[in-house]
Amino acid sequence: MRLTLKSYFKVLKVTGKENIPNDGPIIFVANHPSTLMDPVVIGAIVRPQLYFLAAAEFMGKGIVTWLMQKLFNMIPIYRPNTLPDKSAKNGDVFEKCFTHLSNNGSILIFPEGSSITEKKLRPLKTGVARIAFGAEKRHDVQVQIIPIGLNYSDPHSFQSELYVRIGKPILTLDIDSLQLEDEFEKAKALTQIIEDRLKENLIHLEDEKLEALFEKVRRVSAHELRVSNDQKLGLEDKFKLDQEIQDGMAYYANKHPEVLEIITRNLDNYIRRSDFYGVSDSTISRGVGQISWYDYMRIILGIPVFVFGFLANSLPYYATIWIFRRFKIDPSFHGSIGMSIGMVLYLIWYIGWGVYASSFIGYWWFGFLLISVVYLAGRFTLKYLSLIFQMRQQGKLNRLLRKDRNVLKALFEERNEIIREIVMYSEKYKSELEQMNAV
């Protein structure tokens, strides 16, 4: 599964693994932007074997439900808004969780209660806190709650990026200073701490308008920083930049909404013009330049490996696309279903290569070697195609320069003005924040 995830995502970065305790009981909590992808990702990353709460309506009936529980360690939860007639069964669900935690087990819970693809943490249910308090009260154990932020560039697209940020443990003791006696108030207080700690590890934007503007600002800002630092930003660096953008936008949305209107208008005009001429912002940020001989040599010398990698991996790739398009799938399942189909088809395909090669040559190790070569050639093919795309974009920019220098100059000036605006308002935000903190 880890190998599949590395192949599905262009970049997969995990930080904070040192915050995961060596022993249970542990409750992992995470945001839930992608229905099936999220538990798969977390299950492949964390060390303990995970049991996780899943909506009962997604677990089928009869033998299917039994398999889900036995093979995939799912614990069905009956949501009142979807299965109101069965919500009384949740008492038994909690008892199972208490027992599992008392045996130093680990449980994964998505406390938002549902999955929606957005850069926003929705209000959390109090179930995590109630389970933690219940396990401690029934079995005298100290439950540790680990927040996990899942930061996808796009959870439903192949070769997208994912940054997983694991926070420090939260204990029920963290609310002792509040001296609360009421069980409901204690659950609410602990839930608020969990919500705050989750927000520290992910990007949280209050509405769709801010999210749309955020994507435009971060794209321009990330490209600008990469160029000025002469290096490619890692996902951790991007996340820190994203948090700065998130905090600044939240501040201006509350204090000076007219600033966001100005930036939105200027960005929309710039993006519309760059799209019209078919050049990306990343290409414009690098500026006009000749494609290096090194890149030409990489393309020429890589042709044999590319052809082999493409031919050796194209059948399961296009079969995955064909099967995926044959069924009507809810958008929230696109990434996970596509990855699952691809994983099965590629596994069958690679095993077929290995068995055939081993039987033909007569040595088992040759089949294993061929599988490794085919897989690595497929990874090379993806990078090769990415390099071709970059060179084509650079070629478009150079042709635009020869065709109409004034148009290209206007694009550069427009972009530079937007960068100056973003930097100016960013510095103004930081200055005003320092003044507020000093008071």
Side-chain angles (χ1 to χ4, degrees):
M1 181 55 70
R2 292 179 183 178
L3 197 61
T4 300
L5 288 172
K6 287 183 178 181
S7 299
Y8 181 83
F9 292 103
K10 184 177 182 180
V11 184
L12 172 58
K13 171 78 172 178
V14 182
T15 59
K17 277 190 174 183
E18 68 277 4
N19 294 324
I20 301 177
N22 293 323
D23 300 310
I26 306 170
I27 299 178
F28 292 94
V29 294
N31 58 315
H32 203 12
S34 181
T35 306
L36 292 179
M37 184 72 76
D38 302 335
V40 169
V41 167
I42 296 173
I45 288 172
V46 303
R47 286 191 297 271
Q49 184 183 30
L50 277 178
Y51 283 70
F52 62 95
L53 298 188
E57 62 266 29
F58 294 137
M59 293 179 59
K61 297 179 181 179
I63 188 66
V64 175
T65 303
W66 183 85
L67 286 172
M68 289 291 189
Q69 294 183 58
K70 295 299 181 182
L71 296 182
F72 300 105
N73 301 329
M74 290 185 179
I75 301 173
I77 189 79
Y78 302 90
R79 299 187 295 184
N81 60 324
T82 55
L83 296 172
D85 57 323
K86 296 183 178 180
S87 59
K89 292 184 178 181
N90 286 332
D92 295 333
V93 173
F94 274 47
E95 288 296 334
K96 289 181 182 178
C97 292
F98 299 156
T99 302
H100 184 63
L101 291 171
S102 70
N103 294 322
N104 289 330
S106 299
I107 299 176
L108 169 62
I109 301 176
F110 299 102
E112 291 172 287
S114 60
S115 176
I116 299 177
T117 303
E118 57 185 1
K119 284 183 169 59
K120 178 182 179 180
L121 184 69
R122 283 162 286 120
L124 305 187
K125 313 297 184 184
T126 58
V128 173
R130 289 158 56 203
I131 290 173
F133 283 125
E136 293 181 358
K137 184 177 181 180
R138 298 285 183 88
H139 301 283
D140 192 26
V141 294
Q142 178 62 64
V143 178
Q144 301 179 80
I145 303 169
I146 308 296
I148 300 178
L150 299 172
N151 299 278
Y152 297 92
S153 62
D154 182 353
H156 309 304
S157 294
F158 181 57
Q159 289 292 281
S160 55
E161 297 179 344
L162 169 59
Y163 176 46
V164 183
R165 207 164 191 261
I166 303 172
K168 294 182 179 180
I170 303 167
L171 304 176
T172 55
L173 301 176
D174 292 343
I175 65 164
D176 282 358
S177 61
L178 300 178
Q179 298 182 342
L180 300 172
E181 296 296 332
D182 183 75
E183 296 294 328
F184 179 70
E185 291 300 321
K186 288 171 67 176
K188 282 179 60 179
L190 183 58
T191 300
Q192 186 59 56
I193 293 175
I194 295 170
E195 184 172 317
D196 293 340
R197 295 285 289 278
L198 270 174
K199 286 180 180 178
E200 292 176 5
N201 294 287
L202 52 85
I203 300 303
H204 173 76
L205 299 159
E206 288 296 337
D207 58 52
E208 293 181 1
K209 289 183 178 179
L210 284 182
E211 184 173 344
L213 176 57
F214 169 84
E215 292 295 345
K216 298 168 187 174
V217 172
R218 75 186 291 268
R219 182 170 61 181
V220 173
S221 300
H223 292 152
E224 181 66 19
L225 281 178
R226 183 195 61 194
V227 172
S228 61
N229 294 332
D230 195 29
Q231 62 181 3
K232 186 176 182 180
L233 289 179
L235 290 189
E236 191 170 2
D237 299 318
K238 287 182 180 179
F239 179 78
K240 292 177 181 177
L241 173 63
D242 289 348
Q243 282 197 318
E244 288 185 13
I245 297 172
Q246 162 200 277
D247 295 341
M249 286 177 56
Y251 171 80
Y252 280 112
N254 184 43
K255 299 287 186 180
H256 308 287
E258 69 279 0
V259 168
L260 298 186
E261 291 177 7
I262 293 171
I263 294 176
T264 299
R265 183 170 59 251
N266 293 340
L267 272 169
D268 286 344
N269 290 335
Y270 164 70
I271 291 172
R272 193 180 302 113
R273 282 167 57 81
S274 61
D275 287 346
F276 177 79
Y277 291 105
V279 288
S280 65
D281 178 73
S282 60
T283 308
I284 295 172
S285 69
R286 285 191 293 267
V288 177
Q290 294 298 318
I291 300 173
S292 68
W293 281 105
Y294 173 69
D295 285 338
Y296 278 121
M297 291 303 296
R298 289 167 66 190
I299 292 295
I300 294 170
L301 296 177
I303 289 176
V305 182
F306 165 73
V307 172
F308 173 74
F310 179 81
L311 294 177
N313 290 275
S314 59
L315 183 59
Y317 176 78
Y318 287 109
T320 299
I321 295 174
W322 183 82
I323 294 174
F324 184 83
R325 290 176 176 173
R326 294 282 292 180
F327 300 96
K328 291 183 179 179
I329 301 172
D330 187 285
S332 61
F333 288 88
H334 279 183
S336 51
I337 295 296
M339 186 184 72
S340 299
I341 295 172
M343 182 180 67
V344 172
L345 292 182
Y346 270 99
L347 184 62
I348 295 171
W349 181 251
Y350 286 158
I351 290 175
W353 272 91
V355 170
Y356 176 77
S358 297
S359 60
F360 184 76
I361 301 298
Y363 297 100
W364 68 268
W365 56 264
F366 187 82
F368 180 78
L369 177 63
L370 184 60
I371 290 174
S372 302
V373 170
V374 171
Y375 170 75
L376 292 174
R379 295 294 298 270
F380 176 86
T381 298
L382 293 174
K383 293 182 178 180
Y384 188 90
L385 291 172
S386 178
L387 176 60
I388 289 178
F389 175 78
Q390 292 177 15
M391 292 176 67
R392 287 182 61 189
Q393 284 287 307
Q394 189 65 53
K396 284 183 179 180
L397 194 69
N398 294 343
R399 287 192 295 274
L400 183 58
L401 173 66
R402 293 191 295 268
K403 184 178 179 181
D404 196 332
R405 182 181 294 270
N406 291 330
V407 168
L408 189 57
K409 182 181 178 181
L411 278 174
F412 283 137
E413 290 177 351
E414 200 170 352
R415 186 181 190 280
N416 289 335
E417 180 59 29
I418 290 171
I419 293 296
R420 281 194 293 269
E421 282 183 349
I422 292 174
V423 171
M424 179 186 70
Y425 287 123
S426 175
E427 291 176 351
K428 183 179 178 182
Y429 155 68
K430 292 176 183 177
S431 175
E432 292 185 11
L433 196 62
E434 287 177 1
Q435 293 176 10
M436 292 170 58
N437 293 333
V439 174

